[in-house]
Amino acid sequence: VQMPGSDIFTLPSPEGWTKFRVVVCTCMDAHILYRAQLTNYAIRTKRYCFVSYLRGNNPIGLDFGGGKVRYGKEPFFSHLFVDEAGQATEPEVLCPMSVVLDPVPGEQKVEIALIGDPRQLSPRIYSEKAALHGLGRSFMERILKRPVECIGRGESHILGPDTLKSLDGSVSSILDLERYYMNIDGQEQLTIFLTENYRGHPSFLMMPSVLFYYDRLKSAKGVGLESLSYWIDRLRSVEALTKRVELTFESSASRRDVMDNYRRVHRQSRWPIHFRGVKGKDTSVALDTFTGTDSWQNNDEADAAVEIVDALIQNGVSPMRIGVMSPFRGQVVAVRKRCRAKHYHDVNVGTIENFQGVEQDVIILSLTRSNPSFVESDVKKRMGVFGMPKQANVALTRAENLFIVIGNPEPMWEDELWRQWLYWVFRNGLWYGEGLEEWDLVSAKSKDANFVDTLDQVDIESNGADAIVVSTIEKVHRVHSTDEM
């Protein structure tokens, strides 16, 4: 509460605290409650001391309920909900937990819910030493990864199999995936996996579902025909800026099967997604930021992004509905300067971290990185979207109505995750601008490729051949038309 006549805020009195049923604060601010002794342990101790005093000091024989003085054992805080727990460091989460947890054995416990997506951004750690010792992994992810006893038994990966290869090169098998979702002897898991997505068009979920969520996502957002037609019309103005990639992508005559249509190109004209291949040059720039001065810009991609923004605005899209995103602060500055020069001040331009938890009608993602030689350095510095699946997951899932990606297909093809995304945009006729230099080799590998349901199956079931992931959502919504490229 604010003290009268000043700018000072203080905690309410103990009498005032009893009137609150819900307390909302940040994880770090919870330490104020701890220092003020407003914790379950401290409150229970005070209750016990007060009752003990009454029991030993009752000279006039007052009756406290049947001759015995009792005190309620219910904790003052009965529940703790930590939102965005996947992005909080372990010390941050321990602050509110220290408020509600009572260390004395036998005392009534509270219910704690950690709510978040451990497949998206982890805590942002700027110290390499701290990251090396695990501070960059959230408490939520750590507790899900360890063996946890759950009603008599536990699994070693309650979070589920790893989406991509671990550092030692191992991958989780499909048996791990089946066991994770299996109901073992009627026993529940400690986790609840929400699979229904209400954000955007079903096509936005097709690749994230198979790349990060074991092909379990479902689109629950109803998209009206009028609304979809509006955004498809806006997309046509973007497609008119460049030519569609027209390359052969044929299947082998020996591989005719139920998945043969996925070896052919069928343009999905009603999917509000667009990929613009741009072979620009990424250059180092000096910016004074908290993390240092090194960052990256790609002027060709910045020009393409602003060209697309201009086309959308000229066709009636409000600047406030457009977001431009890049994993590099230098690229954010480059795009922002260009937007301001055109007086597009309301266009939301920021890094991927800035868009965590944010939804935007239109998202334009500039991947920025063109030189694959710098990817290893990016991964060490926890920058970019290549070799960074959590960053990529956030970037791919921010759009509500129109999603546009700008990037160089050459380094994208070198990344396991983005290579699958390129397969997807090409077979669905969503690839414009620059193509791959060695497409003949790629096409030769692709025509005999195996099709799998999740990314972790690529190395396990492909038997050395290329494997392509196809999601259940794509199988449901893809139109196999005769409009081939």
Side-chain angles (χ1 to χ4, degrees):
V1 295
Q2 186 173 4
M3 297 182 65
S6 72
D7 296 330
I8 300 175
F9 287 80
T10 184
L11 291 174
S13 63
E15 293 80 6
W17 265 103
T18 60
K19 299 177 182 179
F20 292 106
R21 297 179 61 86
V22 178
V23 177
V24 181
C25 66
T26 65
C27 287
M28 292 299 294
D29 284 345
H31 88 281
I32 300 174
L33 303 179
Y34 183 87
R35 295 187 63 182
Q37 293 292 293
L38 292 171
T39 67
N40 277 344
Y41 172 72
I43 293 172
R44 182 188 57 78
T45 302
K46 292 175 183 178
R47 287 175 179 171
Y48 177 79
C49 292
F50 180 68
V51 170
S52 298
Y53 173 80
L54 290 180
R55 287 173 176 171
N57 295 273
N58 192 6
I60 59 177
L62 295 177
D63 183 9
F64 295 99
K68 294 183 179 180
V69 179
R70 299 184 179 89
Y71 72 99
K73 290 191 174 183
E74 295 79 12
F76 184 79
F77 296 102
S78 59
H79 295 77
L80 170 64
F81 298 93
V82 181
D83 195 17
E84 295 290 355
Q87 204 176 356
T89 65
E90 188 156 338
E92 286 175 328
V93 173
L94 291 178
C95 287
M97 291 183 69
S98 66
V99 173
V100 302
L101 293 178
D102 192 329
V104 178
E107 294 299 326
Q108 187 169 333
K109 306 303 180 184
V110 301
E111 294 190 24
I112 300 176
L114 302 178
I115 306 165
D117 188 349
R119 295 290 185 187
Q120 295 199 356
L121 292 185
S122 296
R124 186 66 170 169
I125 303 299
Y126 300 101
S127 168
E128 293 187 9
K129 183 177 293 187
L132 182 64
H133 288 82
L135 197 61
R137 182 172 64 171
S138 68
F139 175 75
M140 180 183 189
E141 185 170 357
R142 184 175 73 83
I143 203 69
L144 288 171
K145 284 287 188 182
R146 63 175 297 182
V148 179
E149 289 297 324
C150 177
I151 318 180
R153 68 188 300 175
E155 292 292 333
S156 60
H157 294 286
I158 291 191
L159 180 60
D162 292 333
T163 302
L164 296 173
K165 289 182 180 179
S166 60
L167 293 178
D168 61 4
S170 63
V171 294
S172 304
S173 69
I174 193 64
L175 296 178
D176 293 331
L177 179 67
E178 293 173 351
R179 184 174 66 251
Y180 173 65
Y181 290 112
M182 191 182 301
N183 191 316
I184 304 175
D185 300 331
Q187 297 175 354
E188 300 178 2
Q189 291 284 358
L190 286 174
T191 57
I192 298 175
F193 183 8
L194 303 180
T195 59
E196 294 186 349
N197 185 288
Y198 294 87
R199 175 169 288 150
H201 190 271
S203 60
F204 299 167
L205 301 178
M206 292 176 185
M207 293 311 292
S209 182
V210 292
L211 295 177
F212 311 110
Y213 300 107
Y214 331 117
D215 194 26
R216 288 176 58 86
L217 294 186
K218 302 175 184 177
S219 177
K221 179 180 179 179
V223 181
L225 292 178
E226 182 177 351
S227 175
L228 178 59
S229 296
Y230 173 85
W231 291 109
I232 294 299
D233 289 343
R234 307 289 88 73
L235 177 59
R236 295 293 172 260
S237 66
V238 175
E239 292 174 343
L241 299 174
T242 51
K243 293 183 178 180
R244 195 163 62 230
V245 172
E246 298 183 0
L247 298 169
T248 58
F249 190 74
E250 299 176 355
S251 61
S252 171
S254 63
R255 292 298 302 269
R256 299 293 182 180
D257 53 30
V258 294
M259 297 301 291
D260 186 60
N261 272 319
Y262 295 92
R263 297 187 180 93
R264 301 172 179 267
V265 176
H266 296 281
R267 185 185 177 217
Q268 306 303 307
S269 60
R270 304 292 292 175
W271 291 3
I273 287 186
H274 178 83
F275 172 58
R276 167 84 74 90
V278 175
K279 294 185 178 180
K281 182 180 180 181
D282 41 10
T283 57
S284 178
V285 294
L287 296 175
D288 290 328
T289 66
F290 177 74
T291 57
T293 59
D294 293 335
S295 191
W296 294 90
Q297 286 182 353
N298 188 317
N299 289 320
D300 294 290
E301 288 192 21
D303 291 337
V306 177
E307 181 185 31
I308 292 172
V309 168
D310 190 61
L312 292 172
I313 294 176
Q314 295 303 319
N315 281 272
V317 179
S318 169
M320 297 181 65
R321 306 181 76 175
I322 302 174
V324 183
M325 178 169 47
S326 171
F328 297 97
R329 178 67 62 183
Q331 186 72 350
V332 169
V333 172
V335 174
R336 189 174 290 156
K337 286 181 178 179
R338 287 165 169 78
C339 285
R340 289 176 178 175
K342 288 180 170 288
H343 305 288
Y344 297 155
H345 300 285
D346 291 332
V347 175
N348 186 10
V349 186
T351 63
I352 293 175
E353 288 85 355
N354 298 146
F355 279 87
Q356 171 77 345
V358 175
E359 300 173 1
Q360 200 93 27
D361 282 311
V362 181
I363 286 292
I364 303 170
L365 171 63
S366 172
L367 301 184
T368 307
R369 175 61 70 216
S370 275
N371 190 338
S373 301
F374 296 118
V375 171
E376 184 177 353
S377 175
D378 289 343
V379 173
K380 290 180 180 179
K381 296 179 180 179
R382 300 176 296 281
M383 299 166 57
V385 292
F386 298 135
M388 302 286 288
K390 293 185 177 182
Q391 291 267 99
N393 187 9
V394 175
L396 290 171
T397 54
R398 298 302 95 193
E400 286 194 89
N401 292 300
L402 181 58
F403 183 43
I404 299 168
V405 177
I406 304 170
N408 188 331
E410 302 297 340
M412 294 174 70
W413 188 259
E414 297 299 320
D415 184 271
E416 181 180 14
L417 186 153
W418 287 100
R419 180 166 63 251
Q420 293 296 333
W421 196 84
L422 288 178
Y423 273 132
W424 177 72
V425 293
F426 183 77
R427 68 175 175 264
N428 291 301
L430 308 172
W431 188 335
Y432 288 70
E434 299 282 354
L436 286 165
E437 292 181 1
E438 299 183 358
W439 184 260
D440 291 340
L441 177 61
V442 174
S443 181
K445 290 183 178 180
S446 304
K447 66 181 181 180
D448 290 321
N450 298 315
F451 289 90
V452 295
D453 298 322
T454 59
L455 190 60
D456 69 292
Q457 293 175 260
V458 169
D459 288 342
I460 298 170
E461 300 185 3
S462 60
N463 296 321
D466 277 14
I468 301 175
V469 292
V470 179
S471 70
T472 300
I473 303 177
E474 183 178 357
K475 295 174 185 177
V476 171
H477 291 275
R478 190 173 196 258
V479 177
H480 302 302
S481 67
T482 58
D483 179 20
E484 296 188 18
M485 296 163 56

